């Protein structure tokens, strides 16, 4: 009987793998290095070999695997095709098809890593119990994923879930990495929060605990805000305003059940969800009832959970 | 054989009805008045009676009807339940279920009128040939509908497609009908375009053809803009900027194939789609390829086409 599934989360430096039961109980997880030499052409061989070794150690045969899911750090089409993945050196490949061949024909599915992580948070994380879920990953940048009716939304050009690049401030003079000015990422990423805080410090003469840090981090900003530091709170409000606005956009676009916030910045906890909720409600006057706002819970395992779930979903 | 379907589009003053083949050829359309007396309790009887009479005239029996679809001017849940419909006086009804009983058990489906119109434009209008479609209806207000993978997106609270109430200008001081400030509707509806134009006229001493109109209309603004009137062009640019921004949001959210623009304002034609495209591209730097922007083509028939299509879709 095909009782198990495997989740693979390919990153630029390491590849995370996990074996799960069909109901989502994790039986084991491990990591291997990402060998990006020769245009990343060894990656899938390494993954196949590692899965075979691990399954054999666990006493599970390939015949018992219902499917293998794989998260890729780049745009991935609905059929698993990857036009280009700068992070791995891949160009015009269908890694799902190739890995399936290397695993004796096991079903393999492939998705963008942010979408796959969203699937994971829906299955066993902050979005558990819901079928319409949006995940924001607030890290160095801002990524995201969208699930509607239990299915990952990939979009026509694989752009679905690029939530960090919505223009939230037309008056911004600095450029985002994407070339646009005023993207959500410029205010809601860890880097963005620090940049906003520094601007606020420069523009003000007021005392602030933030002035005591030689190298200011996003965590410092939130820690000082929790102590009531006014300028730190201002940076947190800026994040809340713009992220709350984007939650409002998505609600008026397709009205999900729950927003899940993950990534390093989300370690700030309820101060983050509270400020986002405040602005989300301010900008969504049209409905009294609002979507839930929750923190992600799976951290770095969201990718392998989600990949495994994708593998066994229709 | 069940070869036909019926589309019903319920409005506050009249109800449009149409009979179609399963492939979407319209065999006949007609209208009846909307009787809102007694909390709208006669509406479904009137519809049932009218359908029976018309089908009998056309020599089609109820047994040949695969389904009847109905667009309702208010929030409609995924199962067809209407919590409240101010425009018709309805409260807590399932009109689909009730109409089905009145039509001897024929399958009846029910959706929000804007979503249903989107379905129509996808089937036989500006979105023909696509499966991921967003419709904007720029009329007195701004409505919309979202279709992903060929299916209407209703959302958790029936808010999906309320595109007119996205906050596009945080600096706005005037209130939208919804109570928020700076909604898309305040700049992209017919009313909004006129209001924006009047503001521009007041703020400027420049000559403008717009000053010659006693009662300025949206059409006047576009007509003058087409002649090159600078102040009129400014109002058109304002619409383009905010609507283009919202197209960008939706692309980064779920990346549709095509945006279809309908409603009275869309009669302006390509001047409208051109200016919207300009800003859509400006704000969506992350991808070179963009979604199509097209004009709606079905006008007032979008609702009956879409309702009929919904009736025969899974």
């Amino acid at each position: 009987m095909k009782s198990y599934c495997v989740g693979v989360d390919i990153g630029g430096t390491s590849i995370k793998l996990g074996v799960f039961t069909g109901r989502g109980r994790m039986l084991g997880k491990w990591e291997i290095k990402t060998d990006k030499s020769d245009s990343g052409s060894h990656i899938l061989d390494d993954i196949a070999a590692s899965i075979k070794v691990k399954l054999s150690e666990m006493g599970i045969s390939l015949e018992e695997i219902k499917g293998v899911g794989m998260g890729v750090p780049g745009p991935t089409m609905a059929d698993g095709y990857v036009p280009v993945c700068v992070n791995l050196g891949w160009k015009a490949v269908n890694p799902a098809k190739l890995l399936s061949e290397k695993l004796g024909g096991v079903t393999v599915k492939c998705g963008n890593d942010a979408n796959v992580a969203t699937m994971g948070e829906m299955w066993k994380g902050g979005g558990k119990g819901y079928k319409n879920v949006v995940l924001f990953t607030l890290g160095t940048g801002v990524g995201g994923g969208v699930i509607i009716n239990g299915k990952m939304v990939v979009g026509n050009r694989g752009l679905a879930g690029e939530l960090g690049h919505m223009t939230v401030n037309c008056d911004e003079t600095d450029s985002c990495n994407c070339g646009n000015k005023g993207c959500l990422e410029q205010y809601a990423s860890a880097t963005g929060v620090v940049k906003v805080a520094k601007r606020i410090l420069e523009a003000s003469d007021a005392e602030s605990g933030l002035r005591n840090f030689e190298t200011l981090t996003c965590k410092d900003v939130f820690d000082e805000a929790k102590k009531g530091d006014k300028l730190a709170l201002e940076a947190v409000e800026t994040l809340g305003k713009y992220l709350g606005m984007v939650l409002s956009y998505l609600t008026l676009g397709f009205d999900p059940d729950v927003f899940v916030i993950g990534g390093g910045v989300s370690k700030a906890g309820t101060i983050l969800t509270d400020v986002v909720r405040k602005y989300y409600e301010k900008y969504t006057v049209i409905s009294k009832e609002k979507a839930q706002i929750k923190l992600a819970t799976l951290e770095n395992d969201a990718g392998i959970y989600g990949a495994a779930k994708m593998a066994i979903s229709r």
Side-chain angles (χ1 to χ4, degrees), chain A residues 124-197:
Chain A
K124 296 289 165 184
K128 197 173 165 179
Y130 297 97
K131 290 180 75 179
N132 298 288
V133 181
V134 174
L135 175 70
F136 286 89
T137 312
L138 312 182
T140 317
V142 170
V146 172
I147 292 177
I148 298 181
N149 265 327
K151 286 187 185 160
M152 269 178 0
V153 179
V154 175
N156 188 315
R157 293 150 293 269
L159 287 180
E162 284 289 357
L163 310 173
H165 298 290
M166 291 192 181
T167 308
V168 290
N169 179 10
C170 294
D171 302 328
E172 182 59 71
T173 49
D174 283 359
S175 288
C176 177
N177 290 326
C178 78
N180 187 23
K181 285 174 180 173
C183 287
L184 174 65
E185 183 164 298
Q186 292 181 268
Y187 314 96
S189 64
T191 338
V193 169
V194 170
K195 213 164 174 181
V196 167

Side-chain angles (χ1 to χ4, degrees), chain A residues 105-122:
Chain A
V106 168
T107 304
V108 179
K109 290 183 188 169
C110 204
N112 167 267
D113 55 359
N115 290 338
V116 165
T118 311
M119 204 77 179
E121 288 291 340
M122 179 186 73

